[in-house]
Amino acid sequence: MTTGSASTDDATPEVVAQVRAADLARDIGGERPDDIDGWARAAVAQAISDSADIELVGVDTRQSTDLSEPFGSLDFRVFVPGLKNASTGAPGPFCFRIEFDYYGKVGTWESSDGIDPIGCPPDAAIVTPRVDDSIVPVVSDTAREVASAVLLARVQTGSPATVDAIIGAISAQLTTPTGEFMVVAPPRVVVQVSSAGDRVGVAFGSAEDCVLIKSENGTVDDVYPPPVTLQPGELGCTPETALTDPDQLRSPH
């Protein structure tokens, strides 16, 4: 776990606990969740990873219309072994409420900002975050192999000939992911017809997990552009990217 920006030397137990809660709020990351339940899952996973004496005891969901507007808050119970709560004389715990928006904890990056002390009910139960039941498209393990075989068959026999036929032929042969709430990421296909011959581009997934294959000049090739070119605002993970001139696939940065 990272060290909070506020010093804990000779600090009261409450301040030590507050800094630990702030450290947890800053440490949770990865893909930004789009609701408070996502932050709750990330916080619990981070606390377990850090072996921290921090428990989730409350989740409050709110409606928001802007990415910087809080869409909920999380209540944490923090234990500070060896230190006593100045109010009760007992060894903790200390409870804090932290608001989250799309970008993370609300407030500046300073340890104490946005980490609001609240009362610690003695009978507060540990909250298990709601299971993430959103559907996640996952690129099939056989995506590259299957797409290459279908495009090679098209080169050799002329079939399948249309975008829909290519998509159908690829989709029918893909192995599907086995994880709960996972579906196979569908192929996206473009066919460019010209007097010089047809060119076909195939793409699966997104910038984080992108598979690109192309067929042109009677050959089928894998395409591996620099990751930065796959990001939003750049070329992206698209079938058109698979057909982009190799000189244009060099990293722009």
Side-chain angles (χ1 to χ4, degrees):
M1 180 182 291
T2 59
T3 302
S5 59
S7 172
T8 57
D9 295 340
D10 301 321
T12 65
E14 290 88 346
V15 170
V16 173
Q18 190 175 43
V19 169
R20 291 183 180 179
D23 285 343
L24 176 68
R26 286 198 315 274
D27 284 347
I28 57 180
E31 293 188 11
R32 291 189 175 102
D34 57 7
D35 60 19
I36 194 63
D37 292 311
W39 286 113
R41 289 188 293 270
V44 170
Q46 187 67 48
I48 293 173
S49 174
D50 293 338
S51 299
D53 291 324
I54 301 178
E55 298 170 342
L56 179 68
V57 295
V59 177
D60 176 54
T61 302
R62 305 174 201 166
Q63 296 296 321
S64 64
T65 58
D66 186 84
L67 292 179
S68 61
E69 182 180 351
F71 47 42
S73 62
L74 303 178
D75 294 347
F76 295 98
R77 180 166 54 201
V78 183
F79 296 88
V80 184
L83 298 179
K84 293 184 177 181
N85 187 316
S87 301
T88 65
F94 306 91
C95 290
F96 303 92
R97 177 165 294 154
I98 307 176
E99 292 184 321
F100 288 83
D101 58 25
Y102 174 77
Y103 301 101
K105 87 175 183 71
V106 173
T108 66
W109 217 235
E110 297 175 3
S111 289
S112 61
D113 192 38
I115 315 298
D116 300 323
I118 59 173
C120 240
D123 57 349
I126 296 176
V127 173
T128 300
R130 183 179 64 83
V131 173
D132 184 5
D133 57 0
S134 57
I135 300 299
V136 180
V138 176
V139 175
S140 171
D141 292 339
T142 59
R144 196 176 294 278
E145 173 188 348
V146 168
S148 296
V150 169
L151 294 188
L152 184 60
R154 185 175 189 272
V155 168
Q156 295 173 340
T157 68
S159 178
T162 66
V163 168
D164 288 344
I166 296 171
I167 290 175
I170 294 173
S171 300
Q173 301 176 59
L174 294 174
T175 58
T176 57
T178 58
E180 188 176 17
F181 308 122
M182 290 182 178
V183 296
V184 66
R188 303 185 299 282
V189 175
V190 63
V191 176
Q192 297 179 352
V193 180
S194 72
S195 58
D198 294 357
R199 306 169 72 223
V200 181
V202 180
F204 299 86
S206 60
E208 289 71 29
D209 184 16
C210 182
V211 170
L212 299 175
I213 306 97
K214 70 176 179 179
S215 170
E216 62 179 347
N217 300 323
T219 64
V220 175
D221 298 294
D222 297 326
V223 180
Y224 296 98
V228 66
T229 65
L230 301 174
Q231 298 300 318
E234 302 292 345
L235 294 174
C237 181
T238 71
E240 288 79 11
T241 300
L243 295 178
T244 299
D245 188 295
D247 289 340
Q248 298 179 24
L249 290 181
R250 296 173 182 171
S251 176
H253 304 298

